[in-house]
Amino acid sequence: MKKITIKRGIACLTLICSMAMLATNVYAGPSDTSDHSQHANKGPGKIKKDKEEQERAANGKWVQEGDRWQYMYKDNAVSDKWFKIGKDYYRFDENGYMMTGWYLYGTDWYYMNPEEGADQGKMKKGWVEYNGDWYYLYEANFSGINAGAMAVDITINNYTLDANGKWVP
């Protein structure tokens, strides 16, 4: 565990978090300008599950269609929303397919694990490597920033991140 001091504007907050280096491969990077934003759902850190969603998470099932995945509950796919299954957040597109790679939500970038296997689609947190560059995704909610959002224009424990969130050695 390392102590990290994060400064964003005037607000300062000290977080205790693990600095695990996570190597991954992705589809599109954070400088991608395609419009994946403007969704009416709340970010992953602000979801309050109602009774039906709790039941859906507990009683749903994963269904594979080709190389894509959907999370089904009573024959309906979870669609166009963030969804928490167990301890992990996933993002589903308007057709109900699990999203992978970088995802722009509002003004924040999130990274949904694209690697095939049990962790595919899970929202990543902490340090992530993409095309040889390192990015930091917040590990906890604070000061209006959701867990999983990419840090930009900030220095974290002497690691400076530029406007695109990339670590500048």
Side-chain angles (χ1 to χ4, degrees):
M1 297 288 257
K2 292 191 178 200
K3 186 174 184 179
I4 299 174
T5 302
I6 299 174
K7 297 179 182 179
R8 184 161 177 124
I10 306 171
C12 294
L13 178 66
T14 301
L15 297 175
I16 305 298
C17 67
S18 140
M19 301 278 295
M21 297 298 191
L22 305 172
T24 57
N25 297 316
V26 299
Y27 298 109
S31 59
D32 177 16
T33 58
S34 17
D35 185 12
H36 302 289
S37 60
Q38 310 309 319
H39 295 281
N41 305 70
K42 299 173 183 170
K46 297 180 180 176
I47 293 175
K48 290 194 178 8
K49 292 204 277 186
D50 62 22
K51 192 172 187 171
E52 181 183 348
E53 288 204 356
Q54 290 173 357
E55 183 179 327
R56 187 181 306 166
N59 298 316
K61 64 181 178 179
W62 287 102
V63 175
Q64 187 172 14
E65 188 175 294
D67 64 346
R68 302 184 76 191
W69 289 90
Q70 293 181 311
Y71 192 75
M72 304 293 286
Y73 174 72
K74 292 185 179 177
D75 298 323
N76 293 311
V78 172
S79 63
D80 200 24
K81 69 186 326 180
W82 290 99
F83 198 70
K84 187 174 184 180
I85 302 170
K87 298 182 292 180
D88 300 300
Y89 285 100
Y90 296 82
R91 177 68 193 177
F92 295 90
D93 69 15
E94 61 277 355
N95 297 311
Y97 292 104
M98 176 184 69
M99 298 178 74
T100 58
W102 287 104
Y103 173 68
L104 180 63
Y105 183 81
T107 59
D108 295 322
W109 284 100
Y110 294 86
Y111 185 68
M112 317 312 283
N113 188 0
E115 293 181 7
E116 290 186 23
D119 290 337
Q120 185 176 21
K122 290 180 183 178
M123 181 184 74
K124 300 289 257 177
K125 299 181 206 171
W127 289 100
V128 173
E129 184 182 17
Y130 166 68
N131 283 350
D133 294 313
W134 287 95
Y135 299 85
Y136 183 76
L137 309 173
Y138 290 105
E139 295 193 45
N141 298 335
F142 72 94
S143 291
I145 302 170
N146 288 323
M150 182 179 65
V152 296
D153 280 332
I154 195 167
T155 298
I156 299 174
N157 200 26
N158 296 319
Y159 295 97
T160 300
L161 304 170
D162 68 14
N164 291 318
K166 183 168 50 170
W167 171 52
V168 181

